[in-house]
Amino acid sequence: MAIPRLLVVDDDPEMRSMLTQFIRQNGFIALPAATESDIRKQISADRIDLILLDVMLGDESGIDICQSLRAEQDVPVIFISALSADHHRMKGYEVGADDYIAKPFNPNLLLARVKAVLSRAQRTSSLAYRRRIKTFGFDGWIYEGKRDEVRAPGGYQVALSQKETALLKVFLANAHIPLTREEIAAALDVTGESDGTEATGRAIDVLSGAFALKLKRILKLQN
């Protein structure tokens, strides 16, 4: 499994450096950011598995940033704030935060909360296609989520069936996350009729194999 990538967002350089270093020392990839623009650049550039977000960012509001992000994707967010009153916490949860930690805090408590949120995200948010509307690139291929379009490395637009498109979304939205056949079947099954049986597992194997073969044939036609 890939090492989780965390985005540490704080406009205080000292706090940002301290948190980034602490996160890295505990086995994660930590990337620093100070503004909403920084956040969006990082998210666009690569996978982000969790955001540690300060509520007060100079002229910007972490609450507003979280609300804006939630309109587009489901990347987990943990607020870190000196505002510890209950109504501040409630506001954080209302805009979609996964957790809210008040300053000053025990670093080990933060680490435990991070691990808990990541664990939940890998088995829940990720299966809900937590980056479903973004553009994905993989080995020269391009998938445009907003239009459900796939283009081969040479620019050729590939026609996919509804099931093939759904399967591609599952894999792209869960990059580097091992999925069981049952989880894939549940993500593909919009009717709720999947029973998780061995027959269902074989159907996933057949669909995946046929899909991979189709893409290989397209590449051969272009070469």
Side-chain angles (χ1 to χ4, degrees):
M1 185 180 297
I3 299 174
R5 299 171 61 88
L6 276 62
L7 190 58
V8 179
V9 187
D10 199 304
D11 64 334
D12 181 338
E14 185 175 349
M15 175 62 74
R16 186 170 64 246
S17 177
M18 182 192 72
L19 280 176
T20 300
Q21 184 177 3
F22 175 74
I23 293 297
R24 289 172 179 169
Q25 289 173 343
N26 283 277
F28 300 101
I29 295 172
L31 305 169
T35 65
E36 181 175 5
S37 177
D38 292 342
I39 294 173
R40 294 190 176 280
K41 286 178 182 178
Q42 293 284 8
I43 290 177
S44 298
D46 210 331
R47 185 189 89 250
I48 296 296
D49 298 300
L50 188 147
I51 298 175
L52 296 176
L53 180 60
D54 189 18
V55 172
M56 297 181 292
L57 294 171
D59 295 332
E60 297 182 322
S61 165
I63 295 293
D64 292 340
I65 292 173
C66 182
Q67 189 170 32
S68 177
L69 289 174
R70 278 290 173 265
E72 303 169 7
Q73 53 191 290
D74 297 326
V75 58
V77 174
I78 295 179
F79 275 125
I80 298 177
S81 176
L83 303 174
S84 59
D86 287 347
H87 68 278
H88 290 304
R89 294 175 182 269
M90 289 305 299
K91 186 62 176 178
Y93 290 120
E94 286 172 3
V95 297
D98 295 82
D99 208 340
Y100 191 111
I101 300 176
K103 298 177 182 177
F105 54 85
N106 183 323
N108 291 326
L109 172 62
L110 171 63
L111 186 62
R113 298 280 189 88
V114 164
K115 290 179 178 178
V117 171
L118 284 172
S119 179
R120 291 197 301 268
Q122 288 178 347
R123 294 303 182 190
T124 55
S125 297
S126 61
L127 293 180
Y129 315 140
R130 58 187 173 91
R131 286 182 290 154
R132 60 188 176 275
I133 65 169
K134 286 189 61 178
T135 297
F136 291 86
F138 54 104
D139 291 335
W141 297 76
I142 298 293
Y143 170 70
E144 175 53 64
K146 291 183 179 180
R147 294 190 293 271
D148 275 341
E149 292 180 358
V150 177
R151 294 191 301 278
Y156 176 77
Q157 187 168 329
V158 182
L160 301 181
S161 69
Q162 184 176 6
K163 285 187 177 180
E164 289 171 338
T165 300
L167 182 64
L168 183 60
K169 285 182 178 181
V170 172
F171 290 139
L172 292 178
N174 298 282
H176 309 294
I177 298 176
L179 301 175
T180 65
R181 289 185 179 87
E182 291 74 19
E183 287 171 332
I184 296 173
L188 292 177
D189 180 36
V190 296
T191 65
E193 298 175 354
S194 175
D195 56 9
T197 63
E198 183 178 352
T200 300
R202 287 199 298 270
I204 295 297
D205 290 344
V206 171
L207 176 60
S208 300
F211 184 37
L213 183 59
K214 179 177 184 177
L215 297 184
K216 287 180 180 179
R217 287 174 175 168
I218 291 172
L219 286 177
K220 286 183 178 180
L221 289 174
Q222 292 191 121
N223 295 332

